[in-house]
Amino acid sequence: METSRLARTRRKALVAAATGNFVEWFDFTIYGFMAVTLASVFFPPDSGKAALLAIFAVYGSAFIARPLGAVFFGSIGDRLGRRGSLSLAIGLMGVSTAAIGLLPTYAAAGTLAPALLLLCRLIQGFSAGGEFAGAATFVVEHAPPGRRPLYLAILGGSTSLGVVGATAAVLAFRSAGASAFDDGGWRWAFIVGGALAVVGLILRLGVEETPVFTAAVEQQQNRKGTRHSPLRELLAKHRRAMGTVLVFFASVGVLTHMMLGYMPTYLVTAAGVTSNTALVLTMIAMIVPLPVAIILSGFVEKVGRRPFIRVGAVSAVLVVIPCYLLIGTGNKLAIGVALIVLMVVLCLLNIGLLAVLEILPTRLRYIGTAVPYNVAYALFAGTAPLVCQALVDSTGSALAPAFYGTAIALLACPVLLRYIPETKGTDLRTV
């Protein structure tokens, strides 16, 4: 009976984490898929390319707040528990997302409109700073030792499905017509995202804390006279490891947000496809990670983590430019193949997250993942759409984003090949 109850608890925790993560990524990414519309709504109509750059700058601003969120939610998660921290994170995300759908336009409120948009994105970024790293920690600590790759694959798939859901929502509301969408139909995707956050919050409040964290708390309480400060200990004892993790997330983050935040716009401007076609192609590509990651998870547990990370790191250097050349043909089949190849490479790289989680002690696992993850995303991932658009504007070359992505992957490659450890068989309770 105890085994059956434990299995149900684990499944419930996985569903709660994955559903909440789906909602967080749904809420966070619909902004990037509406960049062109939002530029016309929240900035002067005669701004031209400057408005699009401004929208991508606001997109990137959310990532500035993410490290602060990482410290805040990571400290709470490592000191007081993962469940409470994750519940608070999704609640804030839901409120800020729904608020974007209710904001006044530039025509109605002038410069107040983009200022309020910026505020909402900062709150979204602060919330996102505690989400994925915390959800990954929560899932891996609940998972049976031999099934951590599968649990993490399902969680990663929920991220992709959140993006797919956001894409489907945008397409659904656009079906009423471009003018109706630009005149206010765009708001409903944000409002729906806020409502979905309530579902995620309820699910997270209904699950138990992880047994690994509970055991760590009991050990800490037995150490009389000690006081646990996760951030201080992280910076004092794990700086080298944090540097390696930061490089890992910088490489993954740039490729990810060249897909999420920039690809729909790039397909319209560089490949000449319609907005709806761009979203459909991106949506199809984002479905790929779930089955691929689940298939790979079985092999990860057998052969280890490092081989997949190394193949992913080298592939990121080799395939980005050829993929963008395929996209530049404007052929829909070629574009689809290119996007799928890029997503498979990201699947290979993301296996590295499991190794990161398995080398960190329980008392630092949440914040030790969240801080380098979100610092890297603030510096590299969040700015990727802005940098890519600026490079295209300044050079006139549609291949400029591909060279940027390749350069980041090339710089990260030596670190990923050498310093990400093999953690197969690690017992999380004794790390």
Side-chain angles (χ1 to χ4, degrees):
M1 183 178 294
E2 178 64 20
T3 301
S4 177
R5 191 187 75 81
L6 181 59
R8 286 196 302 271
T9 298
R10 286 169 168 167
R11 288 195 298 267
K12 190 175 180 180
L14 177 59
V15 170
T19 302
N21 195 56
F22 169 91
V23 173
E24 285 271 357
W25 282 91
F26 178 99
D27 289 1
F28 196 74
T29 56
I30 50 178
Y31 180 100
F33 287 166
M34 295 189 186
V36 175
T37 297
L38 295 179
S40 65
V41 169
F42 288 100
F43 292 92
D46 57 350
S47 299
K49 290 182 178 179
L52 190 57
L53 283 173
I55 279 294
F56 284 135
V58 176
Y59 178 90
S61 71
F63 291 82
I64 297 174
R66 288 178 68 143
L68 297 177
V71 173
F72 177 79
F73 292 106
S75 295
I76 292 176
D78 281 333
R79 296 185 64 179
L80 303 178
R82 283 73 159 112
R83 185 186 68 168
S85 182
L86 286 169
S87 299
L88 179 58
I90 197 171
L92 281 176
M93 177 65 80
V95 170
S96 56
T97 300
I100 292 178
L102 302 173
L103 291 181
T105 65
Y106 184 87
T111 56
L112 179 63
L116 290 174
L117 178 65
L118 175 61
L119 176 62
C120 289
R121 281 296 288 177
L122 288 172
I123 297 173
Q124 279 190 320
F126 184 80
S127 165
E131 171 54 34
F132 183 69
T137 299
F138 189 76
V139 162
V140 167
E141 288 184 352
H142 265 295
R147 304 189 75 185
R148 287 181 205 145
L150 176 61
Y151 273 50
L152 196 60
I154 293 173
L155 180 72
S158 72
T159 298
S160 299
L161 292 179
V163 178
V164 171
T167 310
V170 173
L171 288 171
F173 290 116
R174 275 184 176 169
S175 64
S179 60
F181 183 80
D182 292 343
D183 289 342
W186 61 270
R187 296 180 181 276
W188 287 104
F190 290 99
I191 294 172
V192 168
L196 288 175
V198 177
V199 177
L201 176 61
I202 293 171
L203 287 172
R204 287 185 171 180
L205 291 174
V207 297
E208 298 178 12
E209 188 54 79
T210 74
V212 175
F213 176 79
T214 302
V217 169
E218 292 174 355
Q219 292 176 2
Q220 187 68 26
Q221 289 173 345
N222 293 331
R223 299 174 185 173
K224 297 180 180 180
T226 62
R227 186 175 180 179
H228 178 39
S229 176
L231 182 61
R232 186 179 301 129
E233 183 177 353
L234 182 69
L235 295 177
K237 299 180 180 180
H238 300 274
R239 288 192 295 269
R240 181 174 177 176
M242 290 305 95
T244 301
V245 178
L246 189 147
V247 171
F248 165 73
F249 282 124
S251 177
V252 172
V254 167
L255 292 179
T256 298
H257 284 272
M258 284 174 67
M259 284 288 294
L260 298 187
Y262 186 63
M263 188 57 69
T265 300
Y266 181 81
L267 291 177
V268 173
T269 57
V273 301
T274 65
S275 295
N276 282 359
T277 300
L279 287 175
V280 169
L281 289 170
T282 305
M283 180 173 66
I284 292 172
M286 293 304 297
I287 295 173
V288 170
L290 181 55
V292 170
I294 289 175
I295 292 170
L296 289 178
S297 66
F299 296 100
V300 172
E301 196 56 39
K302 292 178 180 178
V303 305
R305 289 65 164 132
R306 290 189 76 175
F308 292 93
I309 300 169
R310 289 175 168 177
V311 172
V314 174
S315 298
V317 174
L318 298 178
V319 308
V320 175
I321 291 176
C323 283
Y324 271 73
L325 286 171
L326 283 176
I327 292 169
T329 65
N331 180 277
K332 294 176 185 177
L333 178 60
I335 293 172
V337 170
L339 297 183
I340 289 172
V341 169
L342 290 172
M343 291 310 304
V344 170
V345 171
L346 279 172
C347 282
L348 293 169
L349 283 172
N350 276 318
I351 291 170
L353 175 59
L354 184 57
V356 169
L357 292 165
E358 290 174 335
I359 63 173
L360 290 167
T362 301
R363 66 183 182 276
L364 300 176
R365 187 166 292 122
Y366 196 146
I367 195 170
T369 307
V371 168
Y373 169 70
N374 286 288
V375 169
Y377 268 49
L379 295 176
F380 299 98
T383 58
L386 177 63
V387 170
C388 289
Q389 187 62 41
L391 287 172
V392 170
D393 290 344
S394 62
T395 65
S397 171
L399 275 180
F403 287 110
Y404 175 66
T406 300
I408 295 295
L410 186 61
L411 291 172
C413 200
V415 175
L416 300 185
L417 292 178
R418 181 174 180 181
Y419 293 111
I420 298 290
E422 179 56 70
T423 58
K424 177 186 175 183
T426 299
D427 186 343
L428 296 182
R429 294 168 297 179
T430 59
V431 174

